[in-house]
Amino acid sequence: MKAAGSWSDPRRGSPLVAARVSAHRTSATRANREAAGDPGLPWRQAAGAELARRGAEGSDRGREPAALPARRRMMEPAVSLAVCALLFLLWVRVKGLEFVLIHQRWVFVCLFLLPLSLIFDIYYYVRAWVVFKLSSAPRLHEQRVRDIQKQVREWKEQGSKTFMCTGRPGWLTVSLRVGKYKKTHKNIMINLMDILEVDTKKQIVRVEPLVTMGQVTALLTSIGWTLPVLPELDDLTVGGLIMGTGIESSSHKYGLFQHICTAYELVLADGSFVRCTPSENSDLFYAVPWSCGTLGFLVAAEIRIIPAKKYVKLRFEPVQGLEAICAKFTHESQRQENHFVEGLLYSLDEAVIMTGVMTDEVEPSKLNSIGNYYKPWFFKHVENYLKTNREGLEYIPLRHYYHRHTRSIFWELQDIIPFGNNPIFRYLFGWMVPPKISLLKLTQGETLRKLYEQHHVVQDMLVPMKCLQQALHTFQNDIHVYPIWLCPFILPSQPGLVHPKGNEAELYIDIGAYGEPRVKHFEARSCMRQLEKFVRSVHGFQMLYADCYMNREEFWEMFDGSLYHKLREKLGCQDAFPEVYDKICKAARH
Ligand SMILES: Cc1cc2nc3c(=O)[nH]c(=O)nc-3n(C[C@H](O)[C@H](O)[C@H](O)COP(=O)(O)OP(=O)(O)OC[C@H]3O[C@@H](n4cnc5c(N)ncnc54)[C@H](O)[C@@H]3O)c2cc1C
């Protein structure tokens, strides 16, 4: 379900529309033909006319030659296709499959992964729609939770021989790495992927953990509501965003994804069910975020909702000079009038800073539906403001804004389909983009995985805003990847793994680096360790989905484990779940 408004999709909506248009055309043609007394397809019509003519001439001899050109016309595209396929297979054979998969990945992605991703999306869309229409989820939820409890109790009865983890295959997650533990731990199947309830009076939505952000926006924006923090990629799940981390350009107002949650429902290590809120089982409530499923299994969450408006009025401001960038960015992040603040840094001293407010009014000449499949990739569109050094104002439909980086997976897709932003490609095939991250992972193979590990960085580091300038210098020295994503957030002073050093809320910033490092002699381990050291030194945090090269001591220097360890002991987690470090460290994933 990836839909703007009522179950249609800004990206994928187009093929549905196209399908509708082509269905309409087909029936119109048929109607015309029927009106003209035409019984069938054009080639049959032509052949029939010819036969009729010859029949009228009183001859049957023309039957064969008349049918031939029509058949030939049918055959020609099939023959061309077969020749192309043959040439392609020959090329693959000469170059070797591995060479093609690694160096010309776009071939595989465009031919196989894009259509497959589309089928995947359609399946999930239809499933979510049916579930929503039949309201089956709330009825089945309790039964499904009981089933999870049963699995945990059975694991206990069988002697708790190994740790437990969620049964979701590693390749299905957004994180680029797959946990090795999935093969050795007891997999608990958690088939919970539905929105349970929207309570507009209490301003709460209750959801199951596998609900995706695409699902949430499709439903909520269609009824005039939204999440205060709506992480960007369609496929991010509520469970992953709570147990891992979630952030968006509204986080300077509302905090991280965990900070808009008001209750968690969990199945614990002994199979019992517990609900926790800031006032009920509050220790557990604050310990759950970032714990990566090592305190229990999340089975539902309650999340705040706020009224949505139709558009985001977005200002683009190119800024030159690092000092000016940091000052402007800090200033805009502190202004509560801004609903959204985001920066894209294209080099150490060139950035575009975007600030937005939600609105129902629109100046039609400035409307830009950036989510449409034929539109330029968002980061490229933004870069134009820098290149032309001019400020801009646009009205972007809300859901298009939320998923603005989805089509290009921020800027990751340019490495996979280098011509993906070319207008011809966008108009012809853009409606199938992006390929699913899960399918990209599933099909990347060992060689490519290792190449990626050594020559590609995907990291989000969260550092205090006051250290932004120093942090950007360090990023430049240690990895040198551009563009860089800048997303501010307020970090409340609450118990748990992640909080500011002092007793007051502090403004932080997420620095996201995704791409190929340009430092000379880049060596993933040593460069990342250097960066991690810096982040620790300024009381920052590394997002746990990314490659983590810290040792255990360094990890617990970065994160506050006091409440976490207390609860692990109290809830009997030590024999049931690995420690969070053992789940996310470099050695635990491949
Ligand atoms: C290319 C890329 C782009 C990204 N973009 C963004 C972005 O725009 N915004 C953003 O905020 N983040 C982003 N992230 C990071 C993302 O927030 C994390 O990967 C996050 O953990 C969500 O991923 P997921 O939904 O696939 O969760 P998973 O990887 O499935 O889960 C994360 C952790 O939570 C645990 N978990 C999940 N569900 C449960 C459950 N029900 N019970 C117990 N434990 C559970 C899992 O075991 C795992 O340890 C991005 C990451 C990548 C790689």
Side-chain angles (χ1 to χ4, degrees):
M1 174 172 68
K2 298 190 161 191
S6 44
W7 307 91
S8 69
D9 185 346
R11 300 171 308 114
R12 305 258 193 240
S14 34
L16 296 183
V17 173
R20 230 179 292 132
V21 169
S22 66
H24 171 74
R25 274 204 208 113
T26 314
S27 54
T29 318
R30 199 179 301 130
N32 288 344
R33 281 204 306 269
E34 277 161 11
D38 171 19
L41 297 165
W43 65 273
R44 275 174 43 201
Q45 179 191 5
E50 176 71 358
L51 282 175
R53 189 178 59 77
R54 291 182 188 221
E57 283 167 5
S59 166
D60 257 347
R61 277 174 294 135
R63 208 173 286 245
E64 279 302 305
L68 255 184
R71 243 180 247 145
R72 203 173 290 145
R73 269 205 301 277
M74 282 269 296
M75 291 295 286
E76 271 166 12
V79 170
S80 324
L81 216 69
V83 170
C84 286
L86 212 70
L87 283 174
F88 171 67
L89 288 175
L90 214 69
W91 178 63
V92 173
R93 181 152 176 79
V94 171
K95 289 282 185 189
L97 184 62
E98 189 165 276
F99 177 91
V100 174
L101 285 183
I102 292 172
H103 298 282
Q104 309 292 339
R105 195 152 189 235
W106 62 268
V107 175
F108 180 69
V109 170
C110 292
L111 288 181
F112 300 105
L113 290 197
L114 287 182
L116 213 60
S117 302
L118 190 65
I119 294 169
F120 238 67
D121 278 346
I122 291 172
Y123 165 74
Y124 279 109
Y125 173 90
V126 171
R127 188 196 171 280
W129 187 83
V130 170
V131 167
F132 180 71
K133 287 289 169 196
L134 299 179
S135 300
S136 63
R139 272 189 288 118
L140 293 178
H141 177 74
E142 282 178 18
Q143 176 55 42
R144 288 182 183 151
V145 172
R146 277 197 295 276
D147 181 54
I148 294 164
Q149 291 179 284
K150 193 170 141 225
Q151 292 179 63
V152 174
R153 287 187 184 126
E154 275 170 8
W155 162 84
K156 227 172 144 53
E157 279 157 22
Q158 286 158 10
S160 326
K161 288 184 197 118
T162 57
F163 287 139
M164 291 181 286
C165 65
T166 59
R168 189 181 187 212
W171 61 269
L172 258 181
T173 65
V174 171
S175 159
L176 299 182
R177 302 285 174 250
V178 176
K180 292 179 188 165
Y181 55 83
K182 290 274 178 194
K183 285 195 186 134
T184 52
H185 294 4
K186 166 83 180 161
N187 281 222
I188 301 295
M189 302 315 292
I190 298 182
N191 182 25
L192 298 168
M193 51 207 306
D194 299 311
I195 298 175
L196 298 171
E197 190 186 352
V198 183
D199 186 334
T200 50
K201 257 198 191 142
K202 286 194 203 150
Q203 304 208 347
I204 292 287
V205 58
R206 183 164 167 256
V207 294
E208 293 183 329
L210 284 175
V211 163
T212 65
M213 287 303 103
Q215 237 171 305
V216 168
T217 45
L219 175 65
L220 287 186
T221 54
S222 71
I223 55 172
W225 292 85
T226 186
L227 298 186
V229 175
L230 208 136
E232 161 66 33
L233 296 187
D234 280 20
D235 290 342
L236 294 167
T237 62
V238 166
L241 293 165
I242 292 169
M243 290 289 182
T245 330
I247 188 165
E248 233 313 313
S249 52
S250 52
S251 287
H252 66 293
K253 271 171 90 83
Y254 300 103
L256 298 171
F257 194 78
Q258 71 211 50
H259 300 123
I260 59 161
C261 294
T262 54
Y264 305 128
E265 295 171 27
L266 296 138
V267 169
L268 300 178
D270 60 358
S272 61
F273 171 87
V274 68
R275 182 172 186 274
C276 54
T277 69
S279 53
E280 179 191 352
N281 299 311
S282 62
D283 274 0
L284 185 58
F285 179 81
Y286 290 116
V288 158
W290 295 68
S291 67
C292 290
T294 57
L295 290 171
F297 294 111
L298 186 74
V299 293
E302 286 175 20
I303 312 173
R304 272 175 65 199
I305 54 175
I306 54 171
K309 295 194 174 160
K310 288 185 190 142
Y311 305 98
V312 174
K313 183 179 175 184
L314 194 64
R315 267 180 207 289
F316 300 80
E317 196 172 331
V319 187
Q320 323 278 346
L322 185 57
E323 213 162 299
I325 292 169
C326 294
K328 173 79 183 162
F329 198 73
T330 309
H331 172 69
E332 293 297 349
S333 305
Q334 284 163 341
R335 289 184 63 209
Q336 292 299 301
E337 307 91 278
N338 289 326
H339 290 152
F340 305 102
V341 179
E342 175 186 24
L344 294 186
L345 196 72
Y346 291 89
S347 75
L348 192 57
D349 53 11
E350 290 174 306
V352 177
I353 291 171
M354 286 159 277
T355 51
V357 287
M358 275 200 254
T359 173
D360 281 327
E361 275 85 55
V362 61
E363 295 174 53
S365 63
K366 291 182 180 160
L367 178 64
N368 187 0
S369 302
I370 53 167
N372 289 343
Y373 69 94
Y374 47 82
K375 288 281 182 173
W377 286 348
F378 186 66
F379 76 98
K380 286 285 180 195
H381 173 61
V382 176
E383 194 177 12
N384 269 336
Y385 283 104
L386 188 69
K387 283 182 176 161
T388 52
N389 197 19
R390 68 191 162 91
E391 291 182 13
L393 177 71
E394 294 178 6
Y395 291 80
I396 299 175
L398 181 63
R399 190 159 187 266
H400 292 218
Y401 175 79
Y402 279 143
H403 299 298
R404 65 202 175 281
H405 293 298
T406 295
R407 278 192 304 130
S408 51
I409 320 180
F410 285 83
W411 27 95
E412 288 287 58
L413 201 58
Q414 65 181 351
D415 289 342
I416 299 168
I417 309 178
F419 45 83
N421 194 41
N422 182 296
I424 300 173
F425 181 85
R426 277 191 270 121
Y427 276 90
L428 289 179
F429 304 109
W431 49 273
M432 283 198 280
V433 167
K436 289 208 103 52
I437 292 179
S438 47
L439 295 180
L440 284 170
K441 261 162 58 183
L442 185 67
T443 55
Q444 72 180 351
E446 192 52 19
T447 316
L448 194 61
R449 190 190 66 72
K450 282 197 176 135
L451 273 175
Y452 257 86
E453 197 171 299
Q454 276 312 316
H455 303 285
H456 198 88
V457 160
V458 180
Q459 287 282 350
D460 281 83
M461 298 292 193
L462 318 181
V463 298
M465 182 68 94
K466 58 183 183 238
C467 308
L468 177 59
Q469 196 165 337
Q470 193 189 357
L472 291 176
H473 273 296
T474 312
F475 267 72
Q476 158 111 347
N477 294 338
D478 291 345
I479 52 175
H480 198 139
V481 169
Y482 292 101
I484 276 181
W485 191 51
L486 299 177
C487 183
F489 68 99
I490 188 79
L491 186 60
S493 173
Q494 290 176 351
L497 285 159
V498 170
H499 57 76
K501 202 170 183 184
N503 293 329
E504 280 178 15
E506 188 172 347
L507 193 60
Y508 268 64
I509 178 154
D510 175 1
I511 305 179
Y514 325 118
E516 199 181 321
R518 303 268 174 218
V519 282
K520 270 192 190 154
H521 315 300
F522 175 78
E523 203 276 310
R525 188 182 164 76
S526 58
C527 292
M528 285 318 306
R529 276 190 60 72
Q530 235 161 279
L531 197 56
E532 289 167 348
K533 190 174 172 196
F534 164 77
V535 173
R536 281 198 306 280
S537 75
V538 294
H539 199 78
F541 308 94
Q542 180 176 37
M543 272 205 196
L544 300 183
Y545 77 83
D547 284 348
C548 164
Y549 291 87
M550 289 184 282
N551 63 33
R552 194 181 303 272
E553 288 68 42
E554 290 163 344
F555 180 84
W556 287 120
E557 206 180 294
M558 180 178 277
F559 296 97
D560 178 355
S562 48
L563 181 63
Y564 172 77
H565 289 301
K566 191 177 103 184
L567 276 166
R568 268 180 64 83
E569 204 179 321
K570 182 175 157 196
L571 300 174
C573 298
Q574 279 133 333
D575 300 325
F577 308 106
E579 191 184 289
V580 59
Y581 175 76
D582 293 314
K583 236 183 142 176
I584 62 92
C585 68
K586 193 74 193 72
R589 300 197 279 212
H590 58 76

